[in-house]
Amino acid sequence: MTSIGTGYDLSVSTYSPDGRVFQVEYAQKAVDNSGTAIGLRVKDGVVLAVEKIKHSRLLVPDSNRRIMTAGRHIGVASAGWMSDTRHLVQRTRDEARNYHDVYKADIPAKIIAERMGMYIQAYTLYSAVRPFGVSTILASVDADGPQLYMIEPSGQYVGYHGCAAGKGKQVAKTEIEKLKLSEMTAREAVKEAARIIYTAHDESKDKLFELELSWVCDESNGRHTRVPQDLVDEAIQHAERSLDEDDDDEMDDDEE
Amino acid sequence: MASLKPGEVNLGTTIMAVEFDGGVVIGADSRTTTGPYIANRVTDKLTKVHDRIYCCRSGSAADTQAIADIVQYHLQLYTAQHGEAPTVKVAASLFQEICYQNKNALLAGIIVAGWDERDGASVYNVPLGGSLHRETYSIGGSGSSYIYGYCDKVFREGMGKEECIEFVKNAVSLAMSRDGSSGGVVRLAVITKDGVERMFVPGNQLPPQYEG
């Protein structure tokens, strides 16, 4: 529901009369303008996929990565301002390192999600700073198994089986809801993630895009790594094929 | 390395912990000395830091009490934040962090032992420098020097709970009879999934040792 909050939206330390903090909502808009990012938590791991929209053909392929690693077993994908993301990932790394220094153990997913949530929330308290224009998707495998969290610009974080953020999040969420995630393997999820990103991608708005895929799963030994190139290629083929099938279906309907 | 400051009390001590399938047996003597004077002859050197995690303290009484208090606080906070009990490893790591970072100011030799859901029974030794060693059984304190040979000879893998209790009782008694800084009574505790059972052997009921 869009509305401008004239007068009450100038600073994040101001509530509107109907109880909203507009600056945080505007931050959410910044997220919604960015390329889609999704996370899928399945039986044996978590998969992250990002629609990296390229604004120029001159960009070096595979540069300006949007999925980052914040600790061997933690992957971060984001939708929103990349500069804010870089800062947040640095903070995530520091928090994970700090936890390890004290407890000599890898930081559990729910703890790092909480620390990130608290950090991001802190920037919604003071008029001297602005909220982060990022929705952070955190993927990790710890002693309790694979886990997926999404932290919004308000600092609120929730655990998910599947989540999406960015331009195509509505389309992506609809597709994700059709999947039986708890029965899927990470390999299968990679293909589905690619397909969903391709489906959510709007050809008419942004012609050029690159698909980024990463996972933390049994096959990657619990580490956050990029999906191996052969599986990426397979996934992209699967994605393109299913888009063609959708087009064919539409054509059949017309001919009738 | 720090030495005892004037007036500081010394946990001369013999401490010990042994792992068995399903739990640990920990034991200690009960003597605290200031120089030649026995300040406390019925000390409890087995200190709880969490429901199923104990530490055996040797060295400076003040230092080890302070460290155990801090670790106990941290473990309470850990439980609140994580929603589950910490592992013995986490507790031992906390002891290590404090002992290592403050090695110049502390005189503390600590054995951390207990039971947790993830790793079962474990024993960790954190000696003077602040290193961390996981061991099947561990001895510490000034009295331990006199029982290395005895322990190496008598210890066997796969001992049951009762055998471990006898092992600890005999070893600590032997150390107490040879080490001037160890003596009094033997305090024992058995930590398992089901709880902590504390035991006490009065000075006149210790296993008899050769006294010449």
Side-chain angles (χ1 to χ4, degrees), chain A residues 27-99:
Chain A
Q28 185 61 47
K29 298 257 174 50
V31 174
D32 293 339
N33 286 339
S34 123
T36 317
I38 64 171
L40 299 175
R41 172 187 148 177
V42 293
K43 217 170 29 180
D44 59 337
V46 192
V47 173
L48 295 172
V50 171
E51 169 203 19
K52 193 166 70 185
I53 295 169
K54 302 210 296 195
H55 51 269
S56 161
R57 271 173 223 286
L58 296 173
L59 285 173
V60 174
D62 208 32
S63 60
N64 307 309
R65 305 208 64 224
R66 273 180 59 185
I67 302 183
M68 302 172 79
T69 305
R72 280 192 311 201
H73 62 299
I74 305 172
V76 178
S78 66
W81 290 22
M82 276 322 290
S83 41
D84 283 8
T85 297
R86 295 223 168 80
H87 174 85
L88 285 176
V89 170
Q90 191 51 51
R91 180 76 190 199
T92 313
R93 289 174 181 157
D94 291 343
E95 294 281 2
R97 175 62 200 262
N98 169 264
Y99 185 96

Coordinates of all heavy atoms in Angstrom, one line a residue, chain A residues 27-99:
Chain A
A27 N 13.1 2.6 2.5 CA 14.3 1.7 2.3 C 13.8 0.4 1.7 O 14.5 -0.1 0.8 CB 14.9 1.4 3.7
Q28 N 12.7 -0.1 2.1 CA 12.1 -1.3 1.5 C 11.9 -1.1 0.0 O 12.1 -2.0 -0.8 CB 10.8 -1.7 2.2 CG 10.2 -3.0 1.7 CD 11.1 -4.2 2.0 OE1 11.7 -4.3 3.1 NE2 11.3 -5.0 1.0
K29 N 11.5 0.2 -0.4 CA 11.3 0.4 -1.8 C 12.6 0.3 -2.6 O 12.6 -0.2 -3.8 CB 10.7 1.9 -2.0 CG 9.4 2.1 -1.4 CD 8.3 2.1 -2.4 CE 6.9 2.2 -1.8 NZ 6.8 3.3 -0.8
A30 N 13.7 0.8 -2.0 CA 15.0 0.7 -2.6 C 15.3 -0.8 -2.9 O 15.8 -1.2 -4.0 CB 16.1 1.3 -1.8
V31 N 14.9 -1.7 -2.0 CA 15.1 -3.1 -2.2 C 14.3 -3.6 -3.3 O 14.8 -4.4 -4.2 CB 14.7 -3.9 -0.9 CG1 14.8 -5.4 -1.1 CG2 15.7 -3.5 0.3
D32 N 13.1 -3.1 -3.4 CA 12.1 -3.6 -4.4 C 12.6 -3.2 -5.8 O 12.1 -3.8 -6.8 CB 10.7 -3.1 -4.1 CG 10.1 -3.7 -2.9 OD1 10.6 -4.8 -2.4 OD2 9.2 -3.2 -2.3
N33 N 13.4 -2.2 -5.9 CA 13.9 -1.8 -7.2 C 15.0 -2.6 -7.8 O 15.5 -2.4 -8.9 CB 14.4 -0.3 -7.2 CG 13.2 0.6 -7.1 OD1 12.1 0.3 -7.4 ND2 13.4 1.8 -6.5
S34 N 15.6 -3.5 -6.9 CA 16.8 -4.2 -7.3 C 16.5 -5.5 -8.0 O 15.3 -6.0 -7.9 CB 17.7 -4.4 -6.1 OG 18.0 -5.7 -5.9
G35 N 17.5 -6.1 -8.6 CA 17.3 -7.5 -9.2 C 16.9 -8.5 -8.1 O 17.3 -8.4 -6.9
T36 N 16.2 -9.5 -8.6 CA 15.6 -10.5 -7.6 C 16.7 -11.4 -7.0 O 17.7 -11.8 -7.7 CB 14.7 -11.5 -8.4 OG1 13.9 -10.7 -9.3 CG2 13.8 -12.2 -7.5
A37 N 16.5 -11.7 -5.7 CA 17.4 -12.6 -5.0 C 16.5 -13.6 -4.3 O 15.5 -13.3 -3.7 CB 18.3 -11.9 -4.0
I38 N 16.9 -14.9 -4.4 CA 16.1 -15.9 -3.7 C 17.0 -16.9 -3.0 O 18.1 -17.1 -3.2 CB 15.2 -16.7 -4.7 CG1 16.0 -17.6 -5.7 CG2 14.2 -15.8 -5.4 CD1 15.2 -18.5 -6.5
G39 N 16.3 -17.5 -2.0 CA 17.0 -18.6 -1.2 C 16.1 -19.7 -1.1 O 14.9 -19.6 -0.9
L40 N 16.6 -21.0 -1.2 CA 15.8 -22.2 -1.0 C 16.5 -23.1 0.0 O 17.7 -23.5 -0.2 CB 15.7 -22.9 -2.4 CG 15.1 -22.2 -3.5 CD1 15.1 -23.0 -4.8 CD2 13.6 -21.9 -3.2
R41 N 15.8 -23.4 1.0 CA 16.3 -24.3 2.0 C 15.7 -25.7 1.8 O 14.5 -25.9 1.8 CB 16.0 -23.9 3.4 CG 16.3 -24.8 4.5 CD 15.8 -24.4 5.8 NE 15.5 -25.5 6.6 CZ 15.0 -25.4 7.9 NH1 14.9 -24.2 8.4 NH2 14.7 -26.5 8.6
V42 N 16.6 -26.7 1.5 CA 16.1 -28.0 1.2 C 16.7 -29.0 2.1 O 17.3 -28.7 3.1 CB 16.4 -28.4 -0.3 CG1 15.6 -27.5 -1.2 CG2 17.9 -28.2 -0.6
K43 N 16.5 -30.3 1.8 CA 16.9 -31.4 2.7 C 18.3 -31.4 3.1 O 18.6 -31.5 4.3 CB 16.6 -32.7 1.9 CG 16.1 -33.9 2.7 CD 15.7 -35.1 1.9 CE 16.3 -35.3 0.6 NZ 15.8 -36.5 -0.1
D44 N 19.2 -31.2 2.2 CA 20.6 -31.4 2.5 C 21.4 -30.1 2.3 O 22.6 -30.1 2.2 CB 21.2 -32.5 1.6 CG 21.1 -32.2 0.1 OD1 20.2 -31.4 -0.2 OD2 21.9 -32.7 -0.7
G45 N 20.8 -28.9 2.3 CA 21.5 -27.7 2.1 C 20.7 -26.5 1.8 O 19.4 -26.6 1.9
V46 N 21.3 -25.4 1.5 CA 20.6 -24.2 1.1 C 21.2 -23.6 -0.2 O 22.4 -23.7 -0.4 CB 20.8 -23.1 2.2 CG1 19.8 -21.9 1.9 CG2 20.6 -23.7 3.6
V47 N 20.3 -23.2 -1.1 CA 20.8 -22.6 -2.4 C 20.4 -21.2 -2.5 O 19.3 -20.8 -2.1 CB 20.1 -23.4 -3.5 CG1 20.5 -22.8 -4.9 CG2 20.6 -24.9 -3.5
L48 N 21.4 -20.3 -3.0 CA 21.1 -18.9 -3.2 C 21.2 -18.6 -4.6 O 22.1 -19.1 -5.3 CB 22.1 -18.1 -2.4 CG 22.1 -18.2 -0.9 CD1 23.3 -17.4 -0.3 CD2 20.8 -17.6 -0.3
A49 N 20.3 -17.8 -5.1 CA 20.4 -17.4 -6.5 C 20.0 -15.9 -6.7 O 19.1 -15.4 -6.0 CB 19.4 -18.2 -7.4
V50 N 20.8 -15.2 -7.6 CA 20.5 -13.8 -7.7 C 20.5 -13.5 -9.2 O 21.3 -14.0 -10.0 CB 21.7 -13.0 -7.1 CG1 21.6 -11.5 -7.5 CG2 21.6 -13.1 -5.6
E51 N 19.5 -12.6 -9.6 CA 19.4 -12.1 -10.9 C 20.2 -10.8 -10.9 O 19.8 -9.8 -10.5 CB 17.9 -11.8 -11.2 CG 17.6 -11.0 -12.5 CD 16.3 -10.2 -12.4 OE1 15.8 -10.0 -11.3 OE2 15.8 -9.8 -13.4
K52 N 21.4 -10.9 -11.5 CA 22.3 -9.8 -11.5 C 22.1 -9.0 -12.7 O 22.6 -9.3 -13.8 CB 23.8 -10.2 -11.4 CG 24.7 -9.1 -11.0 CD 26.1 -9.7 -10.6 CE 26.8 -10.3 -11.8 NZ 28.1 -10.9 -11.4
I53 N 21.3 -7.9 -12.6 CA 21.0 -7.1 -13.8 C 22.2 -6.3 -14.2 O 22.8 -5.6 -13.4 CB 19.8 -6.2 -13.5 CG1 18.6 -7.0 -13.2 CG2 19.6 -5.2 -14.6 CD1 17.4 -6.3 -12.7
K54 N 22.6 -6.4 -15.5 CA 23.8 -5.6 -15.9 C 23.3 -4.4 -16.7 O 22.5 -4.5 -17.6 CB 24.6 -6.5 -16.8 CG 25.0 -7.8 -16.1 CD 26.3 -8.4 -16.6 CE 26.3 -8.9 -18.0 NZ 27.5 -9.7 -18.3
H55 N 23.9 -3.3 -16.3 CA 23.4 -2.0 -16.9 C 24.3 -1.7 -18.1 O 24.0 -0.7 -18.8 CB 23.3 -0.9 -15.9 CG 24.6 -0.7 -15.2 ND1 24.8 -1.4 -14.0 CD2 25.8 0.0 -15.4 CE1 26.0 -1.1 -13.5 NE2 26.6 -0.3 -14.4
S56 N 25.3 -2.5 -18.4 CA 26.1 -2.2 -19.6 C 26.8 -3.4 -20.1 O 27.2 -4.3 -19.4 CB 27.2 -1.2 -19.1 OG 28.3 -1.2 -20.1
R57 N 26.9 -3.5 -21.4 CA 27.6 -4.6 -22.0 C 29.1 -4.6 -21.7 O 29.8 -5.5 -22.0 CB 27.4 -4.6 -23.6 CG 26.2 -5.3 -24.0 CD 26.0 -5.1 -25.6 NE 24.6 -4.8 -25.8 CZ 23.7 -5.8 -25.8 NH1 24.0 -7.0 -25.5 NH2 22.4 -5.5 -26.0
L58 N 29.6 -3.4 -21.3 CA 31.0 -3.3 -21.0 C 31.5 -3.9 -19.7 O 32.6 -4.0 -19.4 CB 31.4 -1.8 -21.0 CG 31.2 -1.1 -22.3 CD1 31.4 0.4 -22.1 CD2 32.1 -1.6 -23.4
L59 N 30.5 -4.4 -18.9 CA 30.9 -4.9 -17.6 C 31.6 -6.3 -17.8 O 31.2 -7.1 -18.7 CB 29.6 -5.2 -16.7 CG 29.0 -4.0 -16.1 CD1 27.7 -4.3 -15.4 CD2 30.0 -3.4 -15.1
V60 N 32.6 -6.5 -17.0 CA 33.4 -7.8 -17.1 C 32.5 -8.9 -16.5 O 31.9 -8.7 -15.4 CB 34.6 -7.7 -16.2 CG1 35.3 -9.0 -16.2 CG2 35.6 -6.6 -16.8
P61 N 32.3 -9.9 -17.3 CA 31.4 -11.0 -16.8 C 31.9 -11.5 -15.4 O 33.1 -11.7 -15.2 CB 31.5 -12.1 -17.8 CG 32.0 -11.4 -19.0 CD 32.8 -10.2 -18.6
D62 N 31.0 -11.9 -14.6 CA 31.3 -12.5 -13.3 C 32.0 -11.5 -12.3 O 32.6 -12.0 -11.3 CB 32.2 -13.7 -13.5 CG 32.0 -14.7 -12.4 OD1 30.9 -14.8 -11.9 OD2 33.0 -15.4 -12.0
S63 N 32.0 -10.2 -12.6 CA 32.5 -9.3 -11.6 C 31.3 -8.7 -10.9 O 30.2 -9.0 -11.2 CB 33.3 -8.2 -12.3 OG 32.4 -7.5 -13.2
N64 N 31.6 -7.9 -9.9 CA 30.5 -7.3 -9.1 C 29.6 -8.4 -8.6 O 28.4 -8.3 -8.8 CB 29.7 -6.3 -9.9 CG 30.7 -5.3 -10.5 OD1 31.5 -4.7 -9.9 ND2 30.6 -5.1 -11.8
R65 N 30.1 -9.3 -7.8 CA 29.3 -10.4 -7.4 C 28.3 -9.9 -6.3 O 28.7 -9.1 -5.4 CB 30.2 -11.5 -6.8 CG 31.3 -12.0 -7.7 CD 31.7 -13.4 -7.5 NE 30.6 -14.3 -7.7 CZ 30.3 -15.3 -6.9 NH1 31.0 -15.5 -5.8 NH2 29.3 -16.1 -7.1
R66 N 27.1 -10.5 -6.4 CA 26.1 -10.1 -5.4 C 26.0 -11.1 -4.3 O 25.3 -10.8 -3.3 CB 24.8 -9.8 -6.1 CG 24.7 -8.4 -6.6 CD 23.5 -8.1 -7.3 NE 22.3 -8.3 -6.5 CZ 21.1 -8.2 -6.9 NH1 20.8 -7.9 -8.1 NH2 20.1 -8.4 -6.0
I67 N 26.5 -12.3 -4.5 CA 26.5 -13.3 -3.4 C 27.9 -13.3 -2.8 O 28.9 -13.4 -3.5 CB 26.1 -14.7 -3.9 CG1 24.8 -14.7 -4.7 CG2 26.1 -15.7 -2.8 CD1 24.3 -16.0 -5.1
M68 N 27.9 -13.1 -1.5 CA 29.2 -13.0 -0.8 C 29.3 -14.1 0.3 O 28.3 -14.6 0.8 CB 29.4 -11.6 -0.2 CG 29.3 -10.6 -1.3 SD 29.3 -8.9 -0.7 CE 31.0 -8.6 -0.4
T69 N 30.5 -14.4 0.7 CA 30.7 -15.4 1.8 C 31.1 -14.6 3.0 O 32.0 -13.7 3.0 CB 31.8 -16.3 1.4 OG1 31.5 -16.9 0.2 CG2 32.0 -17.4 2.5
A70 N 30.4 -15.0 4.2 CA 30.7 -14.3 5.4 C 31.2 -15.2 6.5 O 30.8 -15.0 7.6 CB 29.4 -13.5 5.8
G71 N 32.0 -16.1 6.2 CA 32.3 -17.2 7.2 C 32.2 -18.4 6.4 O 31.3 -18.5 5.6
R72 N 33.1 -19.4 6.6 CA 33.1 -20.6 5.7 C 31.7 -21.2 5.4 O 31.5 -21.7 4.3 CB 34.0 -21.6 6.3 CG 35.5 -21.3 6.0 CD 36.3 -22.5 6.3 NE 36.1 -23.1 7.6 CZ 36.9 -23.8 8.3 NH1 38.1 -24.1 7.8 NH2 36.6 -24.3 9.4
H73 N 30.9 -21.2 6.5 CA 29.6 -21.9 6.3 C 28.4 -20.9 6.2 O 27.3 -21.3 6.4 CB 29.4 -22.8 7.6 CG 29.4 -22.0 8.8 ND1 30.4 -21.2 9.3 CD2 28.4 -21.8 9.7 CE1 30.0 -20.6 10.4 NE2 28.8 -20.9 10.7
I74 N 28.7 -19.7 5.9 CA 27.6 -18.7 5.7 C 27.7 -18.0 4.4 O 28.7 -17.4 4.0 CB 27.8 -17.6 6.8 CG1 27.8 -18.2 8.2 CG2 26.6 -16.6 6.7 CD1 28.1 -17.2 9.3
G75 N 26.6 -18.0 3.7 CA 26.5 -17.3 2.4 C 25.5 -16.2 2.6 O 24.5 -16.3 3.2
V76 N 25.7 -15.0 1.9 CA 24.8 -13.9 1.9 C 24.5 -13.4 0.5 O 25.4 -13.1 -0.3 CB 25.5 -12.7 2.7 CG1 24.6 -11.5 2.7 CG2 25.9 -13.1 4.1
A77 N 23.2 -13.5 0.2 CA 22.7 -12.9 -1.0 C 21.9 -11.7 -0.7 O 21.3 -11.7 0.4 CB 21.9 -13.9 -1.8
S78 N 21.8 -10.7 -1.6 CA 21.0 -9.5 -1.1 C 20.3 -8.9 -2.3 O 20.8 -9.0 -3.5 CB 21.9 -8.5 -0.4 OG 22.8 -8.0 -1.4
A79 N 19.3 -8.2 -1.9 CA 18.6 -7.3 -2.9 C 18.6 -5.9 -2.3 O 18.4 -5.7 -1.2 CB 17.2 -7.8 -3.1
G80 N 19.0 -5.0 -3.2 CA 19.1 -3.6 -2.7 C 20.4 -3.0 -3.1 O 21.0 -3.3 -4.1
W81 N 20.8 -2.0 -2.2 CA 22.1 -1.3 -2.6 C 23.3 -2.2 -2.3 O 23.5 -2.5 -1.1 CB 22.1 0.0 -1.7 CG 21.1 1.0 -2.1 CD1 20.0 0.8 -2.8 CD2 21.2 2.4 -1.8 NE1 19.3 2.0 -2.9 CE2 20.1 3.0 -2.3 CE3 22.2 3.2 -1.1 CZ2 19.8 4.4 -2.2 CZ3 21.9 4.5 -1.1 CH2 20.8 5.1 -1.6
M82 N 24.1 -2.4 -3.3 CA 25.3 -3.2 -3.1 C 26.3 -2.6 -2.2 O 27.0 -3.3 -1.4 CB 25.9 -3.5 -4.5 CG 25.3 -4.6 -5.2 SD 24.9 -6.0 -4.2 CE 26.4 -6.6 -3.7
S83 N 26.4 -1.3 -2.2 CA 27.4 -0.7 -1.3 C 27.0 -0.9 0.2 O 27.8 -1.2 1.0 CB 27.4 0.8 -1.5 OG 26.1 1.3 -1.8
D84 N 25.7 -0.9 0.5 CA 25.2 -1.2 1.8 C 25.5 -2.7 2.1 O 25.9 -3.0 3.3 CB 23.7 -0.9 2.0 CG 23.4 0.6 2.1 OD1 24.3 1.4 1.9 OD2 22.2 0.9 2.4
T85 N 25.2 -3.5 1.1 CA 25.5 -5.0 1.3 C 26.9 -5.2 1.7 O 27.2 -6.0 2.6 CB 25.2 -5.7 0.0 OG1 23.8 -5.6 -0.3 CG2 25.5 -7.2 0.2
R86 N 27.8 -4.6 1.0 CA 29.3 -4.8 1.3 C 29.6 -4.5 2.7 O 30.3 -5.2 3.4 CB 30.1 -4.1 0.4 CG 30.0 -4.5 -1.1 CD 31.3 -4.6 -1.8 NE 31.0 -5.3 -3.1 CZ 30.5 -4.7 -4.1 NH1 30.2 -3.5 -4.1 NH2 30.2 -5.5 -5.2
H87 N 29.0 -3.4 3.2 CA 29.2 -3.0 4.6 C 28.7 -4.1 5.6 O 29.3 -4.5 6.5 CB 28.6 -1.6 4.8 CG 28.7 -1.2 6.3 ND1 29.8 -0.6 6.8 CD2 27.8 -1.3 7.3 CE1 29.5 -0.3 8.1 NE2 28.3 -0.8 8.4
L88 N 27.4 -4.5 5.2 CA 26.8 -5.5 6.1 C 27.5 -6.8 6.1 O 27.7 -7.5 7.2 CB 25.4 -5.7 5.7 CG 24.4 -4.6 6.0 CD1 23.0 -4.9 5.4 CD2 24.3 -4.4 7.5
V89 N 28.0 -7.2 5.0 CA 28.8 -8.5 4.9 C 30.0 -8.4 5.7 O 30.4 -9.3 6.4 CB 29.0 -8.9 3.5 CG1 30.0 -10.1 3.5 CG2 27.8 -9.3 2.8
Q90 N 30.7 -7.2 5.7 CA 31.9 -7.0 6.5 C 31.6 -7.2 8.0 O 32.3 -7.8 8.7 CB 32.5 -5.7 6.2 CG 33.9 -5.5 6.8 CD 34.8 -6.6 6.4 OE1 35.0 -7.0 5.2 NE2 35.5 -7.2 7.4
R91 N 30.4 -6.6 8.4 CA 30.0 -6.7 9.7 C 29.7 -8.2 10.1 O 30.0 -8.6 11.2 CB 28.7 -5.9 9.9 CG 28.2 -5.9 11.3 CD 29.0 -5.1 12.3 NE 28.6 -5.3 13.7 CZ 28.8 -4.5 14.7 NH1 29.5 -3.4 14.5 NH2 28.4 -4.8 15.9
T92 N 29.0 -8.9 9.2 CA 28.7 -10.3 9.4 C 30.0 -11.1 9.6 O 30.1 -11.9 10.5 CB 28.0 -10.9 8.2 OG1 26.9 -10.0 7.8 CG2 27.4 -12.3 8.6
R93 N 31.0 -10.8 8.8 CA 32.3 -11.5 9.0 C 32.9 -11.2 10.3 O 33.4 -12.1 11.0 CB 33.3 -11.0 7.9 CG 32.9 -11.6 6.5 CD 33.8 -11.0 5.4 NE 33.4 -11.5 4.2 CZ 33.6 -11.0 3.0 NH1 34.3 -9.8 3.0 NH2 33.2 -11.5 1.9
D94 N 32.8 -9.9 10.7 CA 33.4 -9.5 12.0 C 32.6 -10.2 13.2 O 33.3 -10.7 14.1 CB 33.3 -8.0 12.3 CG 34.2 -7.3 11.3 OD1 35.1 -7.9 10.8 OD2 34.0 -6.0 11.1
E95 N 31.3 -10.3 13.1 CA 30.5 -11.0 14.1 C 30.9 -12.4 14.2 O 31.0 -13.0 15.3 CB 29.0 -10.8 13.8 CG 28.5 -9.4 13.9 CD 28.3 -8.9 15.4 OE1 28.5 -9.7 16.3 OE2 27.8 -7.8 15.5
A96 N 31.0 -13.1 13.0 CA 31.3 -14.5 13.0 C 32.7 -14.7 13.6 O 32.9 -15.7 14.4 CB 31.2 -15.0 11.6
R97 N 33.6 -13.9 13.3 CA 35.0 -14.0 13.8 C 35.0 -13.8 15.3 O 35.7 -14.5 16.0 CB 35.9 -13.0 13.1 CG 37.3 -12.9 13.6 CD 38.0 -14.2 13.4 NE 39.1 -14.3 14.3 CZ 40.4 -14.1 13.9 NH1 40.7 -13.7 12.7 NH2 41.4 -14.2 14.8
N98 N 34.3 -12.8 15.7 CA 34.2 -12.5 17.2 C 33.6 -13.6 18.0 O 34.1 -14.0 19.0 CB 33.4 -11.2 17.4 CG 33.0 -11.0 18.8 OD1 32.0 -11.3 19.3 ND2 34.0 -10.4 19.5
Y99 N 32.6 -14.2 17.4 CA 31.9 -15.4 18.1 C 33.0 -16.5 18.2 O 33.1 -17.1 19.3 CB 30.7 -15.9 17.3 CG 30.0 -17.0 17.9 CD1 28.8 -16.7 18.7 CD2 30.3 -18.3 17.8 CE1 28.1 -17.7 19.3 CE2 29.6 -19.3 18.4 CZ 28.5 -19.0 19.1 OH 27.8 -20.0 19.7

